[in-house]
């Protein structure tokens, strides 16, 4: 907590605003559905009601309240972003530590696999995997993690390779310290800041990828994600000739843009604060 | 060169793994290329009987056991025979070739544009650090490089093309246009490619901007430069060249690496602008489970990325790695 | 070495930029340049009218218009039919003689005699002969074209015992009667023997001559990547005058924008923009007949609770289909016929029972019990929206729905393999010959469902060649189906099309098809 306050103080103005913004998104995600008067799933009015006091952001083609859907979308985006980043960050760091520490065949193998994952364009393969695994939220998180673990893994690996030859590590080793001890005592504290920054960036990547997939109509269509609302709006026939876009298209657009920007500003400040360069 | 030679087997193994993956990816997807029971709205589709499906499967060799199919595919790929598309009734090579002429120029020109513009603006904004230009360009460019590119694309499509009608909504050139001169044709093509290229350029400009800006800042902070500048001895142009020379290595490497990611971006952007490139074709190939075509497109993407990585490796090995970053 | 590298790199950069630009210019240019002159030439050749009438429609790539090269989905088959004629054509009211100027069915219903028209020319100038007809049938039975060959002609239920030519007559002999046979025989595309004779692998025969037919239009320009087509009227066409001289298809991403700017001459619209065109003489709006529709399929094997007819009826009563039409189709649809045959079909039985939205009745039928089902849908917007509403409707009467959404191809294969409990599916062709009831309802078409009466009636109507008698059986069949609800039709879409009558006013429909730009009779003088 103390660290966080320090971080907050050291951030730039844009960073501070961003943090407030993300706090707001969190708030909306957790409590938004409780506060909004309408359901995000049941039509509560006629279709295409413009924004008013009853419906803050108006309603969509089925007459479902858009504000409630945006809240629901916030929940979804954050869940997907954070969990996919957690999964890939943790798995990636440990794989990286093992590779860096032991080297050898496993290391070579993992590095080849990550080469392949980098060589195959991720979006197309995500489309294929999305089709294969089906479109549940867990599946999307899993698929995103499959493509994102290589980043943290490479960072952790190179850090461990250089740490491995440092004196205090060598001494600990000579006393019979195993990889678990070394990991928790020496490696993790060292790689934590770097992985932290990459974690924040991965959250962003998760949110963006989910939105892209939903936008292509390949996400989970029953979940109310921002990308999906956008997809519904843009593929609505005659969207150019009606006024519906003013609320139907703009609100998910703004939600994605602001969230992603805020997170990236935080990542930039975190980079400075933790003094790491990716 | 030595490092490079050492890495050749690694590249070959990666390539082999990718080819293998390409074979299994479409086949583990549910469904097959022949079963259709639904159709797009206001359209019809052929529903094949079981007998016809069996006949078609036999025709494309899909009734054979998987290992045999795999070996056939491997042999054909190594011979350079990428097969015949199941849905589009043409050779994969023709189909991919027909689309590359749309995707590649868009990808390459937006990459080069983002590199040139990024470097220029980066140098300019570092020259007067913390000046108005620096602040504005820094803020704008970070914002644009963070917003997902498809959103920028949707924004342009909706306002510039849809609402204002300044740009076409889709396609790569006017249909059945008769051009009076080559110049006019070029103009039409550029007109259609403008928004996709602009979107992709904005998505990638940030990387080069930051690279050149950092390099310029470090050059400017060198003692002799500071003195020379104070005396008014140095021209802006000399400084720019100096800073860019310093940043050349990371910029070139970034160029090579970015070509891979820009393909991924192009897939989305082409779908947004309905541009007839590989991205739109790939999406259709996946929807129709066109096994051979999926294999072909994936192989092309992966192969290009690998070659680009290899070139980046060579540059790293060849040029002095001690160049200040 | 280091300096060399740097010196080389800059020019390379510049060069690659140049290259990419020129590639952009030249390669994409070639495709558009090829035949840019032809429209002018053809318009001069066509002297009937002062100005050649060029109709431009929204298109997109659906394959080269040849029986073996067009794509199996989308309007490719109709583009192909502009170029390739068949023995009979689908008119506004029913089948009309086409390449067969007359036909005759023997008393026992087993011998079909088609009198082949004389003086018909192929697009390459050769004369079409009865030989070509016989060849077309034999060749396409051996090598099925993309559109498949009608099941009745296929191998497994081959009831054709003999095909011969006698002078100008093409004679087909059957082993048993079939009411759908005339349509099936009449729809086979006639292809030139002199071109296809020696083609062993028609699927890979991509030479341009594979687009030579004897239909009213010739394909003169096709660009796969752009998805553009140009069809020009065939001067030596035997039959009716082509009203439209040139038909062009261009891809557009928003039909209404393109229509407003005059890029295309006809577009489909939704009720949301109806007002925009409704009150002007400049525009004319026509309604497509509702022959495209959504249905909900039941799998009685995977969800045994559905074997109870009351549960199926309850679902029919509980779903507010009028609401689906208003919200999902934005009003551009009609309620389906409960006996599957859509309301605008010539075979529709007006007196068929209807299930109006009535949650109370549904609750009565369920008798207080609750059920859980999984509803499989594809991830298309309409189906997702529909599933949301259906879920709410059914929850009201005590049926809990879990929606499972997959991509459309996965859904198709799940449907085919019966891996579902409830499923949504949207497809065209509802207005076709009642033969389709057989494949929709009879003999295990619906997993776990079997009804002797339906099987019997399906067989009977197919064997009945007397139109009036057949109609009676089909009416009866619809009553049984409506009573049993083995699957639930949800709605039939009736898209609207808007066009400028001052430019061209000949748009019409085939008696069994829902699109006005598809039938070739839309472009010909006499309908």
């Amino acid at each position: 907590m103390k660290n966080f306050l320090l971080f907050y103080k050291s951030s730039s103005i844009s960073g501070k605003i961003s943090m407030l913004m993300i706090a707001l998104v969190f708030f909306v995600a957790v409590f938004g559905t409780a506060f909004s008067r309408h359901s995000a799933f049941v039509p509560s009015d006629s279709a295409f009601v413009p924004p008013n006091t009853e419906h803050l952001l108006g309603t969509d083609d089925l007459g479902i309240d858009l504000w409630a859907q945006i809240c629901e979308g916030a929940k979804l985006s954050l869940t997907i972003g954070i969990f996919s980043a957690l999964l890939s960050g943790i798995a990636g760091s440990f794989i990286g530590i093992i590779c860096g520490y032991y080297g050898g065949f496993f290391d070579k193998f993992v590095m080849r696999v990550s080469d392949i994952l980098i060589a195959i364009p991720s979006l197309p393969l995500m489309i294929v995997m999305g089709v294969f695994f089906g479109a549940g939220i867990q599946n999307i998180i899993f698929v995103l993690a499959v493509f994102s673990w290589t980043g943290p893994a490479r960072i952790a690996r190179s850090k461990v390779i250089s740490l491995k030859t440092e004196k205090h590590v060598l001494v600990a080793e000579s006393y019979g310290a195993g990889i678990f001890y070394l990991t928790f005592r020496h490696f993790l504290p060292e790689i934590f800041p770097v992985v932290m920054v990459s974690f924040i960036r991965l959250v962003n990547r998760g949110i963006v990828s989910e939105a892209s997939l939903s936008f292509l109509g390949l996400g989970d269509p029953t979940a109310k994600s921002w990308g999906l609302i956008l997809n519904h709006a843009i593929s609505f026939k005659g969207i150019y000739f009606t006024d519906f876009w003013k609320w139907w298209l703009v609100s998910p657009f703004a939600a994605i843009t602001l969230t992603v920007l805020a997170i990236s500003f935080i990542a930039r400040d975190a980079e400075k604060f933790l003094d790491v360069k990716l | 060169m030595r490092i490079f030679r050492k890495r050749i087997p690694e590249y070959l193994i990666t390539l082999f793994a990718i080819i293998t993956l390409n074979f299994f990816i479409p086949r583990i997807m549910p469904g097959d290329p022949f079963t259709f029971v639904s159709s797009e709205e206001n359209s019809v589709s052929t529903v094949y009987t079981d007998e016809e499906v069996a006949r078609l499967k036999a025709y494309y060799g899909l009734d054979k056991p998987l290992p045999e199919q795999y070996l056939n595919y491997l042999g054909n790929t190594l011979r350079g025979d990428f097969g015949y598309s199941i849905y589009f009734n043409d050779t994969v090579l023709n189909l991919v070739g027909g689309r590359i002429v749309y995707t590649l120029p868009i990808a390459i020109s937006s990459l080069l544009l983002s590199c040139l513009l990024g470097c220029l603006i980066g140098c300019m904004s570092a020259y007067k650090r913390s000046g108005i230009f620096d602040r504005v360009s820094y803020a704008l460019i970070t914002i644009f490089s963070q917003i997902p590119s498809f959103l920028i694309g949707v924004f342009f499509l909706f306002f510039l093309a849809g609402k204002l009608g300044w740009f076409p909504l889709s396609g790569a050139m006017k249909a059945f246009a008769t051009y009076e001169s080559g110049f006019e044709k070029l103009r039409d093509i550029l007109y259609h490619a403008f928004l996709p290229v602009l979107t992709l350029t904005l998505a990638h400009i940030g990387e080069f901007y930051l690279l050149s800006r950092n390099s310029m800042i470090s050059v400017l902070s060198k003692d002799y430069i500071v003195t020379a500048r104070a005396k008014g001895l140095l021209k802006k142009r000399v400084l720019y060249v100096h800073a860019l020379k310093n940043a050349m290595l990371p910029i070139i490497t970034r160029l090579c690496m970015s070509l891979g990611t820009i393909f991924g971006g192009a897939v989305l952007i082409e779908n947004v602008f309905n541009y007839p490139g590989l991205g739109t074709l790939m999406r259709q190939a996946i929807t129709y489970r066109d096994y051979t075509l999926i294999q072909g497109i994936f192989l092309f993407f992966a192969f290009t990325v690998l070659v680009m990585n290899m070139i980046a490796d060579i540059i790293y090995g060849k040029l002095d790695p001690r160049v200040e970053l | 070495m280091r300096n060399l590298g740097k010196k080389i790199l800059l020019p390379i950069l510049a060069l690659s930029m140049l290259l990419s630009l020129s590639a952009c210019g030249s390669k994409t240019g070639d495709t558009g340049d090829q035949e840019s002159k032809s429209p002018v030439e053809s318009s001069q050749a066509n002297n009937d009218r002062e100005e050649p009438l060029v109709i431009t429609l929204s298109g997109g790539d659906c394959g080269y218009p040849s029986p073996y090269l067009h794509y199996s989905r989308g309007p490719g088959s109709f583009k192909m039919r502009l170029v390739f004629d068949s023995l009979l054509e689908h008119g506004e009211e029913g089948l009309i003689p086409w390449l067969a100027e007359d036909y005759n069915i023997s008393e026992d219903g087993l011998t079909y005699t088609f009198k082949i028209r004389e003086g018909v020319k192929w697009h390459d100038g050769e004369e079409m002969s009865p030989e070509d007809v016989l060849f077309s049938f034999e060749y396409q039975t051996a090598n099925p074209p993309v559109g498949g060959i009608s099941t009745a002609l296929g191998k497994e239920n081959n009831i054709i015992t003999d095909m011969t030519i006698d002078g100008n007559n093409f004679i087909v002999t059957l082993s048993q009667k079939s009411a759908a046979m005339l349509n099936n025989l009449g729809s086979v595309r006639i292809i030139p023997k002199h071109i296809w004779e020696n083609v062993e692998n028609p699927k890979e025969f991509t030479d341009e001559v594979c687009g030579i037919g004897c239909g009213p239009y010739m394909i003169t320009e096709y660009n796969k990547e752009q998805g553009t087509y140009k069809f020009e009227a065939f001067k030596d066409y035997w039959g009716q005058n082509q009203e439209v001289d040139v038909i062009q298809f261009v891809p557009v991403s928003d039909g209404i924008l393109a229509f407003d700017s005059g890029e295309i001459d006809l577009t489909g619209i939704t009720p949301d923009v109806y007002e925009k065109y409704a009150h002007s003489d400049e525009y004319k709006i026509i309604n497509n007949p509702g022959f495209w529709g959504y249905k909900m399929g039941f799998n009685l094997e995977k969800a045994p609770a559905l074997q109870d007819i009351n549960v199926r009826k309850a679902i029919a009563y509980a779903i507010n289909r009028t609401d689906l039409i208003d919200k999902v189709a934005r009003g551009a649809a009609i309620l389906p016929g409960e006996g599957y045959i859509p309301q605008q079909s010539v075979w529709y039985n007006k007196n068929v029972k209807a299930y109006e939205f009535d949650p109370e009745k549904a609750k009565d039928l369920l008798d207080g019990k609750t059920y859980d089902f999984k509803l499989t849908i594809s991830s298309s917007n309409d189906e997702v929206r529909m599933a949301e509403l259906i879920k709410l409707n059914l929850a009201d009467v005590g049926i809990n729905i879990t929606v499972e959404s997959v991509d459309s191809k996965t859904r198709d294969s799940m449907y085919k393999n019966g891996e579902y409990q409830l499923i949504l599916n949207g497809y065209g062709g509802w207005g076709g010959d009642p033969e389709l009831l057989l494949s929709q309802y009879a003999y295990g078409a619906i997993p776990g469902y079997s009804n002797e009466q339906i099987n019997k009636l399906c067989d009977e109507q197919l064997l009945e060649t007397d139109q009036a008698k057949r109609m009676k059986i089909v009416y009866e069949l619809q009553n049984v189906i409506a009573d049993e609800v083995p699957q639930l039709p949800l709605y039939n879409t009736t898209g609207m099309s808007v066009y400028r009558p001052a430019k061209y006013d000949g748009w019409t429909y085939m008696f069994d098809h829902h699109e006005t730009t598809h039938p070739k009779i839309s472009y010909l003088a006499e309908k």
Side-chain angles (χ1 to χ4, degrees):
Chain A
M1 200 60 212
K2 210 178 115 200
N3 280 340
F4 181 75
L5 279 178
L6 275 176
F7 173 48
Y8 183 78
K9 270 184 196 148
S10 76
S11 314
S12 59
I13 299 173
S14 58
K16 281 175 185 150
I17 297 173
S18 301
M19 269 181 262
L20 289 178
M21 170 78 203
I22 292 302
L24 188 75
V25 175
F26 257 103
F27 183 78
V28 159
V30 179
F31 301 108
T33 33
F35 281 133
S36 63
R37 266 170 287 176
H38 305 286
S39 158
F41 299 96
V42 184
S44 49
D45 210 324
S46 52
F48 301 122
V49 175
N52 56 24
T53 46
E54 178 70 17
H55 300 281
L56 287 177
L57 296 174
T59 61
D60 68 0
D61 57 338
L62 294 189
I64 304 178
D65 186 56
L66 264 173
W67 168 247
Q69 292 190 55
I70 294 286
C71 294
E72 194 63 31
K75 203 188 297 179
L76 208 75
S77 289
L78 285 185
T79 315
I80 287 175
I82 290 174
F83 279 97
S84 66
L86 266 182
L87 195 62
S88 52
I90 294 174
S93 315
F94 280 104
I95 292 175
I97 290 173
I98 294 171
C99 285
Y101 188 72
Y102 289 113
F105 176 76
F106 181 71
D107 180 34
K108 280 223 169 67
F109 176 73
V110 170
M111 287 301 113
R112 281 294 73 69
V113 172
S114 77
D115 270 355
I116 294 169
L117 284 179
I118 290 171
I120 296 185
S122 58
L123 190 75
L125 198 52
M126 266 189 238
I127 295 175
V128 174
M129 289 180 77
V131 167
F132 179 60
F133 286 113
I137 294 181
Q138 313 92 305
N139 295 337
I140 292 176
I141 291 175
F142 173 73
V143 169
L144 289 178
V146 165
F147 283 96
S148 334
W149 63 269
T150 55
R154 282 183 179 240
I155 297 166
R157 175 176 175 269
S158 60
K159 257 296 199 242
V160 168
I161 286 177
S162 66
L163 278 175
K164 182 160 87 161
T165 54
E166 274 180 27
K167 265 200 192 117
H168 61 280
V169 176
L170 288 174
V171 169
E173 261 185 329
S174 72
Y175 283 119
I179 184 165
F180 282 104
Y181 177 81
L182 288 175
T183 301
F184 286 101
R185 190 83 181 77
H186 295 292
F187 296 156
L188 277 187
E190 286 284 334
I191 57 176
F192 181 75
V194 203
V195 170
M196 191 64 210
V197 172
S198 117
F199 169 80
I200 301 177
R201 294 212 182 284
L202 284 175
V203 171
N204 238 1
R205 185 179 154 155
I207 292 175
V208 171
S209 306
E210 190 277 332
S212 316
L213 280 180
S214 301
F215 178 73
L216 286 179
L218 297 154
D220 181 355
T222 49
K224 300 280 175 185
S225 88
W226 292 337
L228 191 76
I229 304 175
L230 201 64
N231 177 17
H232 280 314
I234 199 88
S235 56
F236 182 78
K237 284 173 211 134
I239 184 85
Y240 297 106
F241 304 97
T242 53
D243 282 338
F244 310 152
W245 64 271
K246 282 179 190 155
W247 58 96
W248 197 12
L249 194 70
V250 167
S251 44
F253 191 96
I256 302 177
T257 314
L258 291 179
T259 310
V260 168
L261 273 183
I263 295 180
S264 77
F265 282 130
I266 294 175
R268 191 198 55 194
D269 284 349
E271 229 170 68
K272 274 188 207 144
F273 178 70
L274 299 167
D275 192 28
V276 289
K277 199 90 202 101
L278 285 185
Chain B
M1 216 54 215
R2 210 179 43 221
I3 303 169
F4 174 59
R5 215 168 286 144
K6 210 183 85 196
R7 290 213 65 183
I8 282 190
E10 292 180 3
Y11 279 120
L12 286 180
I13 292 170
T14 315
L15 187 66
F16 178 75
I18 285 172
I19 291 178
T20 308
L21 217 59
N22 278 351
F23 174 79
F24 288 102
I25 285 170
R27 283 171 178 76
I28 58 173
M29 287 194 284
D32 64 73
F34 312 109
T35 310
F36 288 112
V37 294
S38 60
S39 68
E40 283 88 26
E41 197 161 334
N42 284 332
S43 173
V44 285
S45 62
T46 308
V47 178
Y48 291 115
T49 60
D50 292 342
E51 189 211 20
E52 281 170 316
V53 170
R55 189 206 291 254
L56 285 165
K57 277 192 172 159
Y59 179 82
Y60 289 104
L62 296 175
D63 56 338
K64 299 198 178 88
L66 266 189
E68 195 183 332
Q69 284 185 47
Y70 174 64
L71 288 179
N72 282 341
Y73 159 73
L74 215 57
N76 288 339
T77 307
L78 290 178
R79 275 200 306 273
D81 174 5
F82 299 104
Y84 202 82
S85 157
I86 296 168
Y87 181 81
F88 292 92
N89 297 323
D90 201 350
T91 60
V92 171
L93 215 56
N94 277 348
L95 286 166
V96 173
R99 301 299 186 114
I100 282 177
V101 295
Y102 294 98
T103 300
L104 217 52
I106 282 209
I108 291 180
S109 51
S110 54
L111 197 59
L112 293 179
L113 263 178
S114 58
C115 176
L116 289 177
L117 286 177
C119 289
L120 190 71
I121 301 174
C123 286
M124 277 161 64
S125 83
Y127 187 71
K128 276 204 179 133
R129 207 179 164 193
S130 303
I132 290 181
F133 182 77
D134 184 37
R135 278 166 189 243
V136 171
S137 62
Y138 188 85
L140 276 182
I141 286 180
T142 33
I143 286 176
F144 272 119
S145 56
Q146 285 304 328
I147 302 178
S149 54
F150 79 92
L151 278 186
I152 302 182
V154 167
F155 179 82
F156 285 154
L157 182 74
F158 192 81
F159 287 102
L160 299 187
K163 284 275 166 197
L164 296 172
W166 291 352
F167 291 98
L169 281 163
S170 70
M173 54 203 291
K174 205 167 170 348
F176 306 118
T178 44
Y179 301 107
E180 297 192 346
S181 64
F183 174 72
E184 203 178 317
K185 191 162 75 186
L186 185 70
R187 211 184 58 176
D188 188 44
I189 290 164
L190 290 180
Y191 176 61
H192 278 79
F194 187 83
L195 285 185
V197 169
L198 180 67
T199 312
L200 278 177
T201 306
L202 282 177
H204 283 267
I205 202 167
E207 305 159 8
F208 298 103
Y209 172 81
L210 286 179
L211 279 176
S212 65
R213 185 171 174 272
N214 288 345
S215 165
M216 183 78 170
I217 286 171
S218 71
V219 166
L220 285 176
S221 64
K222 285 196 175 114
D223 287 343
Y224 63 95
I225 302 255
V226 173
T227 3
R229 249 184 116 185
K231 288 179 185 166
L233 288 177
L234 277 178
K235 279 191 181 151
K236 228 192 238 178
R237 203 170 56 87
V238 180
L239 269 178
Y240 283 10
V241 171
H242 196 76
L244 281 183
K245 257 188 189 163
N246 256 350
M248 197 49 104
L249 181 64
I251 287 175
I252 300 278
T253 338
R254 178 48 66 111
L255 259 181
C256 298
M257 307 289 269
S258 286
L259 196 69
T261 47
I262 216 163
F263 275 142
V267 171
L268 257 175
I269 297 304
E270 281 173 8
N271 278 303
V272 170
F273 290 103
N274 225 331
Y275 201 80
L278 267 185
T280 34
L281 185 70
M282 187 185 72
R283 194 170 158 205
Q284 287 171 323
I286 291 177
T287 319
Y288 301 136
R289 302 288 190 277
D290 194 333
Y291 291 172
T292 38
L293 190 56
I294 297 177
Q295 288 163 2
I297 297 176
F298 269 52
L299 188 65
F300 170 76
F301 277 141
F303 187 73
T304 328
V305 175
L306 268 188
V307 169
M308 285 298 140
N309 283 0
M310 207 159 86
I311 294 174
D313 264 2
I314 296 172
I315 294 170
Y316 249 112
K318 259 196 175 169
L319 295 182
D320 192 342
R322 277 166 303 171
V323 175
E324 204 174 317
L325 293 186
Chain C
M1 193 61 206
R2 177 185 161 194
N3 280 330
L4 189 73
K6 281 190 183 169
K7 272 181 193 150
I8 288 173
L9 281 171
L10 262 179
I12 285 180
L13 219 119
L15 193 74
S16 63
M17 171 100 189
L18 265 177
L19 273 179
S20 80
L21 276 178
S22 65
C24 181
S26 66
K27 284 195 184 160
T28 48
D30 286 348
T31 41
D33 218 21
Q34 285 167 5
E35 301 205 24
S36 48
K37 277 188 206 128
S38 55
V40 189
E41 281 167 10
S42 79
S43 63
Q44 280 159 357
N46 202 330
N47 289 325
D48 306 6
R49 225 182 320 263
E50 311 95 56
E51 277 278 298
L53 180 62
V54 180
I55 290 289
T56 310
L57 298 166
S58 117
D61 182 32
C62 44
Y64 197 70
S66 152
Y68 288 96
L69 292 183
H70 71 83
Y71 305 154
S72 56
R73 296 173 70 85
S77 62
F78 294 99
K79 294 201 169 82
M80 180 272 288
R81 285 177 202 192
L82 293 174
V83 180
F84 289 87
D85 270 350
S86 51
L87 293 179
L88 306 175
E89 187 55 56
H90 288 207
E92 284 174 323
E93 312 277 307
L95 295 172
I96 42 179
W98 208 254
L99 285 181
E101 56 187 3
D102 196 12
Y103 61 89
N104 169 286
I105 305 171
S106 65
E107 285 283 304
D108 59 0
L110 293 178
T111 310
Y112 288 67
T113 310
F114 296 92
K115 185 159 182 265
I116 307 300
R117 198 176 288 278
E118 281 176 81
V120 177
K121 288 246 169 67
W122 295 108
H123 294 163
D124 61 0
E126 303 268 330
E127 190 100 8
M128 189 205 72
S129 69
E131 280 287 323
D132 287 313
V133 176
L134 181 62
F135 170 78
S136 300
F137 275 79
E138 284 170 350
Y139 190 81
Q140 290 178 74
T141 336
N143 310 284
V146 177
I149 195 105
S150 173
T151 42
L153 304 177
K155 256 183 199 159
E156 82 261 46
N157 39 354
N158 194 351
I159 53 171
I160 297 177
T161 49
D162 191 37
M163 291 189 281
T164 49
I165 325 171
D166 177 21
N168 264 341
N169 288 334
F170 172 61
I171 304 161
V172 180
T173 322
L174 309 181
S175 58
Q176 74 181 67
K177 288 207 287 188
S178 163
M181 202 47 155
L182 185 64
N183 184 16
N184 290 333
L185 291 173
S187 315
V188 172
R189 299 295 120 184
I190 305 304
I191 56 174
K193 186 180 182 184
H194 62 274
I195 287 173
W196 292 90
E197 213 166 11
N198 297 317
V199 177
E200 263 177 37
N201 194 347
K203 273 191 158 300
E204 295 186 21
F205 179 58
T206 52
D207 192 292
E208 244 179 43
V209 296
C210 73
I212 288 179
C214 60
Y217 289 93
M218 300 186 291
I219 174 79
T220 53
E221 213 176 313
Y222 165 62
N223 186 316
K224 207 182 189 78
E225 286 79 33
Q226 312 272 4
T228 54
Y229 294 81
K230 179 179 280 181
F231 294 94
E232 288 177 53
F234 175 44
K235 275 177 295 172
D236 293 334
Y237 190 54
W238 57 268
Q240 302 156 323
N241 250 342
Q242 299 99 326
E243 286 268 310
V244 178
D245 299 294
V246 179
I247 311 169
Q248 295 183 147
F249 291 90
V250 298
V252 296
S253 61
D254 191 291
I256 298 170
L257 276 183
F259 178 74
D260 278 351
S261 67
E263 246 173 87
I264 54 174
D265 297 310
L266 179 141
T267 187
I269 55 169
T270 60
D272 293 292
V273 289
Y274 172 79
E275 285 298 314
K276 198 168 140 76
Y277 303 107
H279 310 291
S280 163
D281 286 343
E282 194 192 343
Y283 306 111
K284 209 159 164 179
I285 296 176
I286 45 173
N287 275 300
N288 296 346
F291 293 154
W292 195 99
Y294 281 108
K295 74 168 181 203
M296 181 192 271
F298 298 145
N299 187 335
L300 280 59
E301 266 169 25
K302 290 277 153 63
L306 290 168
Q307 281 170 2
D308 181 356
I309 186 169
N310 285 332
V311 176
R312 302 200 298 266
K313 280 188 173 165
I315 293 178
Y317 279 120
I319 295 177
N320 188 348
R321 285 177 277 182
T322 324
D323 193 43
L324 293 184
I325 292 173
D326 286 345
K327 284 186 168 150
V328 181
R330 306 287 309 149
I334 48 167
L335 285 170
E338 301 288 359
Y340 191 83
I341 305 279
Q343 287 189 34
Q344 280 151 308
S345 166
V346 285
W347 301 93
Y348 175 65
N349 177 358
K350 283 182 200 60
N351 301 319
V352 79
K353 172 179 187 171
Y355 293 89
E356 265 152 42
F357 175 56
D358 191 346
E360 288 312 312
K361 208 162 192 174
K363 274 184 211 159
D364 288 349
L365 283 166
L366 291 176
D367 205 16
K369 279 185 233 140
T370 57
Y371 296 90
D372 291 288
F373 296 118
K374 195 160 81 176
L375 172 64
T376 305
I377 59 167
S378 91
S379 48
S380 83
N381 275 337
D382 279 359
E383 281 176 50
V384 172
R385 294 316 226 182
M386 222 180 290
E388 285 179 35
L389 294 172
I390 289 175
K391 185 180 171 157
L392 295 171
N393 280 160
L394 291 180
D396 285 344
V397 300
I399 298 175
N400 294 314
I401 296 288
T402 323
V403 179
E404 175 197 42
S405 135
V406 292
D407 93 307
S408 78
K409 192 77 198 221
T410 310
R411 191 265 321 272
D412 285 10
S413 83
M414 288 171 86
Y415 179 91
K416 184 105 188 252
N417 301 330
E419 295 156 352
Y420 61 91
Q421 295 190 324
L422 301 176
I423 198 164
L424 285 189
N425 190 17
Y427 54 97
W430 292 51
D433 190 278
E435 184 190 12
L436 56 86
L437 291 175
L438 184 75
S439 58
Q440 282 288 340
Y441 288 93
Y443 299 113
I446 290 156
Y449 178 81
S450 169
N451 181 306
E452 275 309 308
Q453 208 187 351
I454 290 182
N455 292 351
K456 200 177 117 242
L457 288 170
C458 280
D459 282 343
E460 273 178 16
Q461 56 94 8
L462 200 54
L463 287 176
E464 184 53 68
T465 36
D466 182 289
Q467 182 84 359
K469 282 185 192 156
R470 190 175 181 215
M471 195 76 98
K472 228 174 135 192
I473 304 175
V474 174
Y475 274 24
E476 172 69 20
L477 188 52
Q478 289 175 65
N479 281 332
V480 182
I481 290 172
D483 216 41
E484 282 279 313
V485 208
Q487 58 182 0
L488 183 68
L490 292 173
Y491 62 72
N492 295 116
T493 56
T494 53
M496 285 183 275
S497 299
V498 60
Y499 63 91
R500 295 184 181 85
K503 175 141 188 195
Y504 183 63
D505 199 12
W507 300 107
T508 182
Y509 292 93
M510 293 190 281
F511 71 96
D512 58 350
H513 192 65
H514 54 70
E515 248 285 325
T516 185
T517 60
H518 289 167
K520 68 176 73 152
I521 52 171
S522 264
Y523 308 100
L524 303 179
E526 292 159 48
K527 308 297 173 193

